[in-house]
């Protein structure tokens, strides 16, 4: 019998149990109708003497998927989620949360407001608010530690990770894991048991997991120290630690008030705006014009040409997605090395206890190698990852044109080269696309999907579908030297070189960039990637370089000495005995001084703030050019590229979002000021000038 219903929440009586079903597609987000419906259902259950227990469950694929992103940025409508969770907990009848699919963020907080929790094996639980610059704000920071202890609660909230039903049961986050797929049956069975044993409501707010005060305080102190180190520059993680300290020190109601105060501080932090922008930008970047109408081709097998670091990394990414891989190398020796490069990744995971040896065996059973291109006759997609040389790549594509079946997608992993030229060299340019992976390809999230002039729309759609399978963040890019990321990198890299030649040390520049929020500075990155890679690119471009453009020769001097960075034991930094972290090198500083004298430059000092202003102005200006020339569809595509591929601090949203927060007139004024020294390098982007004249920002172009 139906006793109550609104559009998003329906209540049905099963004898003396009220089953309350949340139905708010697509993910059962906690919109205002869901909040109202839950409140009404609990009130009705409390008021009905015939109801002895309440079961909460979600229709569709999830229990509750957290806050409704459609309500972001709008004035909040009552009831607030903390009030809903408190009212559920205050129920005089036992409330059971029956969880399947996602119970994330506010969804898990609702389940914590319930008195008992049962989960199906498919359940995914988590408090991922930290990823949006927030903290759990509906009692999560107060109930979770009281239920499972401070250490486990802090790990869950500070990582934002999702956990499965078994781990949740082990932690005590859920009471039991039910067999089967029927969530209503699991909830009803548990409710009947509780009624039969006369179980009373068991309130999470009264949980005793913080009883050992000394151990709890030690766990909070350890988390605070670890967070200060790991989440350097981030706002919300330390607020989460403060909230859990409140759970230990304060009565529950006062703890909730502290949580609310800290939640609002996070809400008003510019970091939250940056993280929310990054969150939405990733979703938007995955929507390219070609993906709207064209249907992706089926990909059931993949060929990879080249077994070096990049080829092996791509092979691992593809194998991890469950697809079979055929690797082609020029001879048996190179093929054995390629296979060993792939196995090395899995051996590393075994050594860390992440996978078992039999899992590696199962994965490697899908790996085949050959020295003959004919082995690719039946694959659906080929990714070429050979040396960055046009003639070499065209020779590979000639072979692919010969052996691959009609309709096979032919992808190049080039970082810079003209894909139109590669496509034009074969008889099926419509099947050629760029898939620019970032090294190490099995770890780095970014995948630039480079769209040449003659490619067919379904090939582009296939590339985006593949990115999803590989769990990559895809960005659509047009063809130019360096596409989005490496093209912009070349410009702000040149700005960093000029700052160095003008007087700042590479070590000061790296520190200033790290303090801004990057994990590494540009000279550390150069040492990690290998100075010889940039050197090869500079030599390739030497013939076309504008003779009037400033050219800093310092990196060439290091490369001429064979100092390529970590792999040679020295670059800008010294790496004694294979050290991963470098130490400053006085000989490098001497080379820089000599180069300044040769170039007739009198060194001057820079503040860290001046370094960052120049570094970012160069990045933002070239980012604007990339959008202006339609290499990137929107500013958000530039943001996603830099957050996922180049270490730009996520909490700042990306360079174009950051420019909006600083104000485009200020960025333009900086560029005009720097142009007094070097008008050729510091040419304001026409797009930047136009936006400032119109009083608009980059965000206006994302709509």
């Amino acid at each position: 019998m139906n006793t109550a219903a609104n559009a998003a929440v329906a209540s049905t009586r099963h004898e003396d149990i009220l089953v309350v079903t949340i139905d708010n597609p697509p993910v059962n987000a906690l919109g205002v109708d869901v909040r109202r419906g839950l409140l009404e259902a609990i009130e009705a259950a409390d008021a009905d003497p015939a109801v002895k227990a309440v079961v909460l469950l979600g229709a569709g694929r999830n229990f509750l998927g957290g806050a409704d992103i459609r309500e972001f940025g709008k004035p909040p409508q009552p009831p607030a989620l903390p009030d809903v969770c408190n009212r559920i907990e205050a129920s005089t009848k036992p409330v059971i949360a029956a969880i399947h699919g996602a119970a994330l963020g506010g969804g898990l907080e609702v389940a914590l407001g319930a008195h008992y929790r049962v989960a199906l094996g498919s359940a995914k639980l988590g408090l991922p608010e930290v990823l949006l610059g927030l903290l759990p704000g509906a009692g999560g920071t107060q109930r979770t530690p009281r239920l499972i202890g401070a250490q486990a609660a802090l790990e869950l909230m500070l990582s934002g990770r999702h956990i499965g039903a078994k781990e949740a049961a082990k932690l005590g986050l859920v009471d039991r894991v039910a067999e089967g797929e029927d969530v209503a049956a699991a909830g009803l069975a548990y409710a009947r048991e509780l009624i039969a044993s006369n179980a009373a409501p068991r309130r999470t707010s009264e949980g005793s997991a913080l009883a050992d005060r000394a151990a709890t305080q030690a766990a909070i102190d350890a988390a605070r120290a670890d967070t200060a180190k790991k989440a350097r520059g981030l706002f919300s993680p330390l607020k989460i630690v403060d909230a859990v300290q409140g759970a230990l020190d304060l009565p529950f109601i006062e703890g909730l008030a502290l949580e609310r105060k800290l939640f609002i501080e996070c809400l008003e932090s510019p970091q939250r705006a940056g993280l929310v922008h990054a969150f939405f930008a990733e979703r938007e970047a995955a929507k390219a014009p070609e993906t709207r109408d064209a249907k992706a081709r089926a990909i059931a097998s993949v060929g990879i040409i080249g077994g070096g670091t990049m080829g092996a990394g791509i092979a691992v990414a593809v194998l991890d997605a469950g697809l079979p891989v055929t690797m082609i190398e020029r001879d048996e020796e190179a093929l054995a090395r390629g296979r060993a490069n792939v196995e090395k990744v899995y051996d590393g995971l075994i050594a860390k206890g992440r996978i078992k040896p039999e899992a590696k065996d199962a994965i490697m059973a899908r790996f085949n190698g050959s020295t003959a291109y004919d082995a690719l006759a039946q694959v659906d997609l080929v990714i070429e990852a050979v040396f960055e040389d046009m003639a070499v790549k065209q020779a590979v594509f000639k072979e692919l044109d010969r052996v691959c079946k009609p309709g096979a997608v032919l992808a190049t992993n080039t970082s810079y080269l003209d894909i139109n030229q590669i496509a034009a060299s074969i008889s099926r340019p419509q099947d050629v696309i760029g898939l620019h992976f970032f090294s190490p390809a099995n770890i780095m999230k970014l995948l630039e999907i480079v769209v040449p002039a003659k490619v067919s729309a379904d090939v582009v759609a296939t590339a985006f579908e593949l990115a999803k399978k590989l769990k990559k963040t895809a960005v659509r890019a047009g063809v130019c030297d360096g596409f989005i990321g490496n093209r912009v990198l070349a410009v702000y890299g040149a700005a960093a070189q000029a700052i160095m030649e003008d007087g700042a040390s590479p070590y000061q520049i790296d520190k200033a960039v790290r303090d801004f929020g990057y994990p590494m500075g540009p000279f550390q990155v150069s040492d990690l990637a290998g100075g010889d890679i940039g050197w090869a690119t500079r030599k390739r471009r030497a013939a076309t370089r504008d003779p009037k453009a400033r050219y800093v020769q310092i990196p060439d001097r290091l490369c001429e000495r064979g100092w390529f960075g970590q792999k040679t034991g020295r670059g800008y930094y010294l790496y004694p005995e294979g050290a991963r972290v470098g130490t400053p090198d006085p000989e490098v500083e001497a080379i820089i001084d000599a180069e300044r004298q040769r170039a007739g430059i009198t060194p001057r000092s820079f503040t860290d703030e001046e370094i960052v202003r120049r570094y970012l102005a160069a990045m933002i200006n070239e980012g604007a050019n990339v959008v202006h020339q339609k290499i990137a569809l929107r500013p958000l595509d530039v943001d996603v590229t830099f957050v996922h591929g180049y270490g730009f601090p996520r909490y700042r949203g990306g360079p174009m979002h950051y420019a909006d927060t600083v104000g485009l007139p200020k960025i333009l004024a900086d560029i005009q000021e720097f142009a007094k020294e070097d008008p050729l390098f510091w040419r304001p982007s026409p797009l930047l000038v136009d936006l400032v004249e119109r009083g608009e920002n980059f965000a206006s172009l994302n709509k």
Side-chain angles (χ1 to χ4, degrees), residues 199-532:
R202 184 196 55 178
R203 297 185 170 89
T204 311
S205 61
E206 295 162 7
S208 59
L210 301 179
D212 185 339
R213 192 176 168 85
T216 300
Q217 189 59 59
I220 294 170
D221 291 345
R224 187 180 298 282
D226 192 48
T227 301
K229 197 167 69 200
K230 277 193 191 150
R232 196 173 52 92
L234 284 172
F235 185 78
S236 69
L238 285 168
K239 300 292 176 190
I240 290 171
V241 180
D242 290 344
V244 175
Q245 183 71 57
L248 177 63
D249 294 342
L250 302 169
F252 182 70
I253 295 301
E254 287 176 38
L256 283 181
L258 172 68
E259 177 188 82
R260 179 60 18 188
K261 174 180 160 289
L262 296 170
F263 180 80
I264 287 163
E265 285 175 22
C266 292
L267 206 55
E268 291 168 353
S269 144
Q271 291 197 358
R272 177 190 168 264
L275 289 162
V276 167
H277 170 75
F279 175 83
F280 283 114
E282 283 149 19
R283 278 150 186 74
E284 279 305 309
K287 300 172 192 167
E290 294 88 350
T291 61
R292 284 188 206 120
D293 309 315
K295 192 171 173 296
R297 298 180 188 178
I299 301 292
S301 56
V302 176
I304 292 170
I305 318 287
T309 307
M310 183 55 89
I314 297 169
V316 170
V318 174
L319 289 166
D320 285 350
L323 293 164
V325 165
T326 302
M327 181 181 278
I328 304 292
E329 259 294 4
R330 61 184 174 275
D331 54 43
E332 290 296 344
E333 198 184 325
L335 191 57
R337 274 199 307 273
R339 186 187 178 95
N341 287 338
V342 172
E343 293 204 33
K344 198 163 90 184
V345 175
Y346 292 113
D347 290 339
L349 293 173
I350 291 168
K352 287 180 188 147
R354 299 247 187 97
I355 64 167
K356 294 201 160 57
E358 42 279 26
K360 175 196 162 183
D361 295 340
I363 291 166
M364 290 308 293
R366 284 186 273 110
F367 178 91
N368 293 294
S370 179
T371 55
Y373 278 90
D374 300 290
L376 301 177
Q378 291 308 313
V379 300
D380 300 311
L381 165 81
V382 182
I383 304 168
E384 162 277 306
V386 301
F387 187 65
E388 195 73 340
D389 176 279
M390 181 58 80
V392 175
K393 293 199 187 273
Q394 285 180 333
V396 167
F397 271 79
K398 191 177 174 188
E399 286 298 298
L400 297 180
D401 198 12
R402 178 180 66 80
V403 303
C404 289
K405 66 184 183 185
V409 175
L410 309 181
T412 173
N413 174 57
T414 179
S415 313
Y416 289 98
L417 299 179
D418 183 348
I419 301 175
N420 285 322
Q421 211 179 321
I422 296 172
S425 71
I426 66 169
S427 70
R428 38 171 131 175
Q430 73 280 3
D431 294 332
V432 176
I433 194 157
L435 291 178
H436 180 212
F437 289 83
F438 287 71
S439 193
N442 50 307
I443 293 168
M444 290 291 278
K445 283 280 182 224
L446 182 66
L447 178 62
E448 274 185 316
I449 294 174
V450 189
V451 179
K454 292 192 174 162
V455 69
S456 79
D458 66 340
V459 170
V460 182
T462 307
F464 275 92
E465 201 52 46
L466 176 75
K468 224 182 281 175
K469 268 189 189 151
L470 302 186
K471 297 190 169 66
K472 299 290 182 200
T473 301
V475 174
R476 184 192 189 281
V479 174
C480 68
D481 198 334
F483 319 128
I484 298 173
N486 283 343
R487 171 172 163 176
V488 177
L489 167 70
V491 174
Y492 69 83
Q497 300 281 356
I499 297 166
M500 172 172 63
E501 195 173 51
D502 284 338
S505 81
Y507 315 119
Q508 185 198 355
I509 295 167
D510 278 352
K511 182 188 175 297
V513 169
R514 284 199 308 273
D515 288 348
F516 177 77
Y518 271 83
M520 300 170 86
F523 300 101
Q524 289 172 294
V525 171
S526 168
D527 276 3
L528 178 65
D532 50 331

Side-chain angles (χ1 to χ4, degrees), residues 637-660:
D637 294 285
V638 179
D639 285 338
V640 173
T641 300
F642 280 87
V643 166
H644 284 282
Y646 295 83
F648 194 96
R650 185 183 175 84
Y651 64 83
R652 297 190 189 272
M656 313 316 268
H657 175 83
Y658 174 75
D660 283 350

Side-chain angles (χ1 to χ4, degrees), residues 37-286:
L38 283 169
L39 209 53
E40 286 161 11
I42 295 295
E43 300 275 5
D46 259 3
D48 186 345
V51 172
K52 289 193 178 158
V54 180
V55 173
L56 302 180
L57 55 88
R61 291 204 304 269
N62 297 308
F63 174 67
L64 273 169
D68 193 333
I69 55 179
R70 288 169 293 204
E71 293 182 7
F72 278 20
K74 293 182 183 166
Q77 293 187 64
L81 187 59
D83 299 335
V84 175
C85 295
N86 293 345
R87 181 64 189 89
I88 291 169
E89 193 177 64
S91 168
T92 56
K93 320 274 172 83
V95 179
I96 298 97
I99 302 166
H100 76 302
L104 299 174
L108 180 53
E109 288 178 297
V110 167
L112 292 168
H115 307 127
Y116 301 91
R117 285 157 292 282
V118 57
L120 297 189
S122 67
K124 284 270 176 285
L125 299 89
L127 294 166
E129 288 85 352
V130 71
L131 305 177
L132 292 178
L134 295 172
L135 51 77
T141 68
Q142 303 304 299
R143 288 189 176 95
T144 317
R146 284 174 166 86
L147 184 65
I148 64 172
Q151 188 178 348
L154 280 163
E155 194 281 326
L156 206 58
M157 292 187 281
L158 291 169
S159 69
R161 73 189 177 95
H162 301 174
I163 63 170
K166 279 188 184 148
E167 189 180 349
K170 210 155 112 189
L171 291 175
L173 203 57
V174 300
D175 299 294
R176 62 168 65 175
V177 180
E179 297 294 317
E181 301 291 311
D182 188 337
V183 70
L188 284 165
Y190 193 19
R192 287 192 185 105
E193 273 181 51
L194 292 166
I195 292 167
S197 64
N198 286 323
R202 184 196 55 178
R203 297 185 170 89
T204 311
S205 61
E206 295 162 7
S208 59
L210 301 179
D212 185 339
R213 192 176 168 85
T216 300
Q217 189 59 59
I220 294 170
D221 291 345
R224 187 180 298 282
D226 192 48
T227 301
K229 197 167 69 200
K230 277 193 191 150
R232 196 173 52 92
L234 284 172
F235 185 78
S236 69
L238 285 168
K239 300 292 176 190
I240 290 171
V241 180
D242 290 344
V244 175
Q245 183 71 57
L248 177 63
D249 294 342
L250 302 169
F252 182 70
I253 295 301
E254 287 176 38
L256 283 181
L258 172 68
E259 177 188 82
R260 179 60 18 188
K261 174 180 160 289
L262 296 170
F263 180 80
I264 287 163
E265 285 175 22
C266 292
L267 206 55
E268 291 168 353
S269 144
Q271 291 197 358
R272 177 190 168 264
L275 289 162
V276 167
H277 170 75
F279 175 83
F280 283 114
E282 283 149 19
R283 278 150 186 74
E284 279 305 309

